[in-house]
Amino acid sequence: MDTPNVLLTGFGNVGRAFVRLMHEKRELCRKTYDLDLRLRGVFKTNGGLFAGEDSDLFGIEELSSSDCLAHSAWKTGLRCKDLFSQLKPGVLVECTPTNIHTGEPGLSYIRKALEAGWHIAAASKGALVVDFKNLKEMAKKAGVCLKYSAATAAALPTLDVGLYSLAGTEILGIEGILTGTANYILSRMEHGISFQDALKEAQARGIAEPDPSLDIDGWDTASKILLISNSVAGTDFELKDIPCEGIRNLTPADILAAREEGKSLKLVGWVIREVGSMRAEVRVAAIDQAHPLGRLAGTQKGITFYTDTMGQVTVAGGKSDPRGTAATLLKDIINIFR
Ligand SMILES: NC(=O)c1ccc[n+]([C@@H]2O[C@H](COP(=O)([O-])OP(=O)(O)OC[C@H]3O[C@@H](n4cnc5c(N)ncnc54)[C@H](OP(=O)(O)O)[C@@H]3O)[C@@H](O)[C@H]2O)c1
């Protein structure tokens, strides 16, 4: 039985859901995968909890239903970066907020973890968007896995399909509806609701963040298409290479005009092969309702790969919430230790 140490950075919606799921799926992981994950540390902005190699978890059940600040072992000022070398290397589960400009705080955590020989399962996108090539090289050099399914549309399998199911093909193009929040707003606007009202509704339902700009201005989609394309299509995009349009200025009249032509307006991330190069962009497009992506409603996401030998392959669906994201982190960890 593998008993890898787990350190968790970020204990918000996703971090907490991950701890809950680890608890819930413990027996299944033991029985089906011979895997018994040992949570050794949980870290927030100003401190954390840390158990040594020999002590067991801090009562994972108790932790999953509480805030670790209230835990008797909470230590203000405790920093994850100082602790990687104190444990046998396992997996860092990175769930801190995404900053696509600096990559921090995840970037420092991931670099430190890789230097110490830890595998990575990341939900945050920032570090990978800012320093993709370098982090991949660091992981390769250290002989560890750098997994980030949870940062690339989470429960919708994008990387697994591109890297495993389409291995040996040439990727000729990619198009993806990758931001559930934007698709939800556009779906609601199809019912005649204004952008502002649809956004307010999404925020009230916990679908949109209090600051929804990454999602509605297209940068969340741009970050995901960058990571997917660089991973499966051999590109080397940086965020500055991806022209990006959002959905802020759309009106219900725009949506209805598309509908009258049998199309739906969608926020799409594209990768397009041109003579000798690949180009990526994010823009609003009128998609035929007969296209598999044209039918996606609400928070649904989907991706179509165009290949030379396997034709057009579309995957769609997957939950867009912290539990679905936590399950994606667990999936990556299971696959690391298989
Ligand atoms: N929500 C989703 O469904 C979803 C889906 C896919 C990907 N993601 C990504 O997953 C990540 C986490 O999302 P979330 O919804 O869980 O965010 P969240 O609720 O805001 O939680 C973020 C957590 O990170 C902690 N944190 C902030 N700065 C830190 C630092 N310097 N060191 C250690 N911990 C720090 C926060 O601690 P404090 O409470 O002390 O500030 C908080 O516990 C984000 O990068 C997001 O883009 C989320």
Side-chain angles (χ1 to χ4, degrees):
M1 175 96 57
D2 264 327
T3 56
N5 291 322
V6 176
L7 291 178
L8 170 64
T9 42
F11 195 61
N13 297 312
V14 175
R16 219 176 254 129
F18 175 75
V19 171
R20 230 172 270 139
L21 200 69
M22 255 181 88
H23 175 60
E24 198 181 311
K25 298 280 184 180
R26 196 164 196 188
E27 273 318 299
L28 181 140
C29 285
R30 281 181 176 152
K31 276 194 193 139
T32 313
Y33 303 106
D34 245 6
L35 185 67
D36 190 7
L37 299 173
R38 303 290 168 90
L39 184 66
R40 302 296 193 192
V42 176
F43 302 86
K44 290 176 43 109
T45 311
N46 297 321
L49 307 169
F50 182 66
E53 188 87 61
D54 299 325
S55 44
D56 207 349
L57 317 174
F58 333 80
I60 193 165
E61 198 163 3
E62 177 199 344
L63 187 60
S64 66
S65 56
S66 73
D67 190 318
C68 51
L69 284 174
H71 199 283
S72 56
W74 171 262
K75 280 198 187 137
T76 301
L78 193 70
R79 286 152 40 99
C80 181
K81 286 187 257 186
D82 305 329
L83 299 169
F84 290 115
S85 54
Q86 291 192 25
L87 293 170
K88 185 169 167 240
V91 56
L92 167 68
V93 179
E94 217 303 301
C95 297
T96 61
T98 285
N99 182 324
I100 58 169
H101 305 293
T102 65
E104 297 295 353
L107 184 55
S108 299
Y109 292 143
I110 292 175
R111 281 188 183 148
K112 274 279 176 201
L114 290 173
E115 279 164 13
W118 286 66
H119 300 289
I120 310 291
S124 60
K125 290 171 268 295
L128 288 146
V129 167
V130 167
D131 202 22
F132 183 81
K133 210 170 159 186
N134 187 38
L135 293 179
K136 292 288 266 192
E137 273 165 20
M138 284 181 76
K140 194 172 171 195
K141 207 164 153 193
V144 297
C145 298
L146 173 58
K147 295 275 197 182
Y148 43 94
S149 301
T152 49
L156 172 76
T158 55
L159 295 181
D160 291 349
V161 172
L163 288 170
Y164 296 97
S165 308
L166 304 180
T169 68
E170 195 177 339
I171 304 291
L172 306 175
I174 306 173
E175 57 194 55
I177 293 177
L178 301 170
T179 302
T181 305
N183 204 50
Y184 178 86
I185 291 172
L186 292 175
S187 299
R188 294 299 292 140
M189 287 176 75
E190 289 199 342
H191 292 87
I193 298 172
S194 71
F195 169 79
Q196 282 305 338
D197 286 348
L199 173 59
K200 271 190 212 140
E201 188 185 297
Q203 284 171 321
R205 294 190 57 192
I207 293 167
E209 302 279 326
D211 175 4
S213 50
L214 275 187
D215 288 344
I216 63 180
D217 293 330
W219 294 108
D220 177 73
T221 300
S223 302
K224 289 171 179 164
I225 204 76
L226 177 156
L227 295 179
I228 295 166
S229 179
N230 287 0
S231 305
V232 311
T235 52
D236 207 5
F237 292 131
E238 295 180 26
L239 214 47
K240 66 176 170 47
D241 304 325
I242 306 182
C244 192
E245 176 189 47
I247 61 171
R248 246 181 229 277
N249 298 323
L250 292 177
T251 64
D254 297 325
I255 309 266
L256 289 177
R259 266 211 101 96
E260 276 167 17
E261 292 176 14
K263 296 184 175 181
S264 297
L265 287 191
K266 299 287 181 197
L267 182 65
V268 184
W270 311 80
V271 177
I272 303 147
R273 181 174 288 272
E274 290 179 335
V275 188
S277 70
M278 301 280 263
R279 168 171 78 75
E281 65 180 359
V282 174
R283 68 180 155 82
V284 175
I287 305 274
D288 202 293
Q289 282 162 12
H291 187 291
L293 299 185
R295 291 195 290 268
L296 297 180
T299 57
Q300 285 185 316
K301 294 173 285 192
I303 189 162
T304 299
F305 294 94
Y306 295 87
T307 74
D308 60 341
T309 46
M310 291 195 193
Q312 175 182 333
V313 175
T314 297
V315 232
K319 280 184 88 179
S320 281
D321 64 4
R323 186 171 162 83
T325 307
T328 309
L329 288 164
L330 186 62
K331 177 259 300 196
D332 271 353
I333 296 171
I334 289 169
N335 287 332
I336 289 172
F337 292 100
R338 252 180 191 194

